[in-house]
Amino acid sequence: MTAGQRKIAFVVCLTTMLLAVLDQNIVSAVTVPIVRDLDPAHGIDRVPWLISAFALASTAALPLYGKLCDTLGARKVFLSAVAAFLVGSALCGAAQSMEQLIAFRAIQGLGGGGLMSVTMVVIAQLKAAAPADGSDGGGKGGAGIGGLVAGAGMALGPVLGGVLADHADWRWVFYVNLPVGLAVLAAAAAVLKLPRHHGTRHRIDFLGAGLAAAFSTAVLLVTEWGGKEYAWGSPVVLGLIAASVLLLGLFLWRQATAAEPVLPLSLFKIPVLRVSFALQALIGTALMGSMIYVIIYLQLVRGIAATNASLFLLPMAAGISVIGVVTGRLTARGWPQKTFVVTGTAVSAAAMGILATLSADTGLWVVGAALLLLGLGFGQLLGQLIQLTQESAPPRQLGVATTGIRFFQSLGGALGASVFGTVLARAYEAKGPGGSASRIAALSGEAHTQAIRAFVSSVDTVFACAAGAMLLALVLAIRLRVPRP
């Protein structure tokens, strides 16, 4: 590729990452309008499914994406993932029921799983082909810029979703993907030229990918149904727990015996990768909880419209942007990446702790300050673990290592959405006036006041769980041992 082609390809990659993160987070701003339109009676209870459907499908596909990149080449996989994502987006926009939307979000997630992870593989290959000084845009700062773009998308997605929900229709949060995605497809097909794999015929471990998908599904169903749809001691939940253990054992056996596994167990022998995988899972869990329930709190408890509620995430976007630039420059000057992983998890845990103290009349400036602090924390983490993974993984396993860390982040996010949704529902049922949280808007008088108080207390429990996840991540970050170059 020429220098000009690499620049265009790098912009295409950043646009694709922004598209992926925007879509994963834009839905959080329109959950209330979606529920009001498609299922006003039980929609709030199904919000975790709406989030988990996308996360589950993308998580299940991730191990296979990594192996396909290492065997077929990243270009073909990249184009196919974008195309699948666009098909799912069109179907989501046309959904006529909550059940349809959840199913179509799963289809969208199959493509979405490759947008971020495969794009990071493409960026790594572009960096490898670029001049060492990074003069044509593909230098060492690529992963840092990618993390900055991803962080901005996490915060700005709900803002865009709120604007579309209030001034157009919630369906446009999906339709807006189509023109951007088609432009990405056209540009990538024209300029992207990556190494092709010739010679040795590779085997793709479809069985391993299927076992990973089945395990992820079983675990999420346990967290979603346990104590909610079915009692924890019911045959259904106990059967799912047993199936999860069995599927995990089969997956590990397959990865140990397959000629070319989708997630080689040898990666876990590398200390940096082992700790990074666990860290990324915890970060994904905490981040999913913060983004969804801050917006729901502002809309349901404080009565703020979708657009105005999403504007509260602008401080988070500002924190991510500012600290992302600072972190990138300090890393380029030789500051160790572990420093930012440790401080990032600590600051994020503190922000979650502040959010866990919200009440029905907490000053809105406190919410904004907590989100600014959260942005300053997550902004230090974005891109760092992926870059550490790519630098520590064997070159021939770049694809599976990159998608491996994305797999754990996605699985953590899916589990976070599911577990936090269950925690919220159980806590509200224990403290509220009865019924589902979806019925709060229909209550009046003392019943409405009691419901709001119970819902806020339940949301605080969710944020306390997220803070606990970040504290555990802080312990792991301190134990991270990064070899000196």
Side-chain angles (χ1 to χ4, degrees), residues 3 6-7 10 126-142 145:
R6 278 194 293 270
K7 288 180 180 179
F10 191 64
L126 290 173
K127 288 167 56 181
D133 61 2
S135 58
D136 69 354
K140 185 175 177 62
I145 296 174

Side-chain angles (χ1 to χ4, degrees), residues 30-325:
V30 295
T31 50
V32 174
I34 288 174
V35 166
R36 189 184 302 122
D37 185 19
L38 297 181
D39 189 357
H42 305 287
I44 290 293
D45 294 333
R46 295 184 178 180
V47 166
W49 276 109
L50 186 62
I51 306 300
S52 296
F54 182 96
L56 171 61
S58 63
T59 300
L62 275 172
L64 188 57
Y65 273 126
K67 193 60 182 179
L68 288 173
C69 285
D70 289 339
T71 55
L72 302 180
R75 182 180 185 275
K76 292 180 180 179
V77 182
F78 176 83
L79 295 175
S80 299
V82 174
F85 175 78
L86 294 180
V87 171
S89 297
L91 291 173
C92 286
Q96 298 300 310
S97 68
M98 201 71 171
E99 290 79 9
Q100 286 185 11
L101 182 58
I102 290 172
F104 294 153
R105 280 284 283 173
I107 295 174
Q108 188 188 35
L110 290 175
L115 293 190
M116 180 68 76
S117 55
V118 177
T119 301
M120 292 304 298
V121 177
V122 173
I123 288 177
Q125 293 188 357
L126 290 173
K127 288 167 56 181
D133 61 2
S135 58
D136 69 354
K140 185 175 177 62
I145 296 174
L148 180 60
V149 171
M154 288 178 186
L156 296 178
V159 176
L160 178 58
V163 171
L164 292 173
D166 286 345
H167 301 288
D169 187 273
W170 63 263
R171 298 179 186 276
W172 281 98
V173 304
F174 301 108
Y175 288 145
V176 74
N177 296 329
L178 301 181
V180 180
L182 290 173
V184 165
L185 271 179
V191 305
L192 198 59
K193 300 176 182 178
L194 299 175
R196 297 181 180 180
H197 295 259
H198 299 288
T200 305
R201 183 178 179 83
H202 293 274
R203 300 176 183 177
I204 299 175
D205 184 17
F206 289 106
L207 176 59
L211 289 171
F215 165 71
S216 303
T217 302
V219 170
L220 288 177
L221 288 176
V222 169
T223 58
E224 178 62 28
W225 285 353
K228 190 175 182 181
E229 301 289 338
Y230 303 94
W232 284 106
S234 67
V236 172
V237 174
L238 293 178
L240 283 171
I241 293 174
S244 301
V245 175
L246 176 62
L247 288 168
L248 176 60
L250 290 174
F251 174 72
L252 294 175
W253 166 80
R254 178 63 181 177
Q255 299 314 287
T257 58
E260 297 188 42
V262 293
L263 187 62
L265 298 183
S266 59
L267 293 177
F268 293 89
K269 296 180 180 179
I270 304 174
V272 172
L273 299 188
R274 188 168 59 243
V275 176
S276 295
F277 288 162
L279 268 171
Q280 199 79 330
L282 290 169
I283 291 169
T285 300
L287 181 60
M288 186 61 69
S290 63
M291 296 297 292
I292 297 173
Y293 293 106
V294 165
I295 295 296
I296 292 179
Y297 163 83
L298 291 170
Q299 293 186 56
L300 195 60
V301 176
R302 309 305 291 264
I304 299 175
T307 300
N308 294 333
S310 60
L311 291 177
F312 277 83
L313 295 179
L314 290 178
M316 182 176 177
I320 289 173
S321 300
V322 171
I323 202 66
V325 172

Side-chain angles (χ1 to χ4, degrees), residues 440-460:
I440 291 178
L443 300 176
S444 60
E446 180 60 27
H448 183 268
T449 302
Q450 182 183 354
I452 289 295
R453 189 181 303 116
F455 186 80
V456 172
S457 176
S458 304
V459 169
D460 287 348

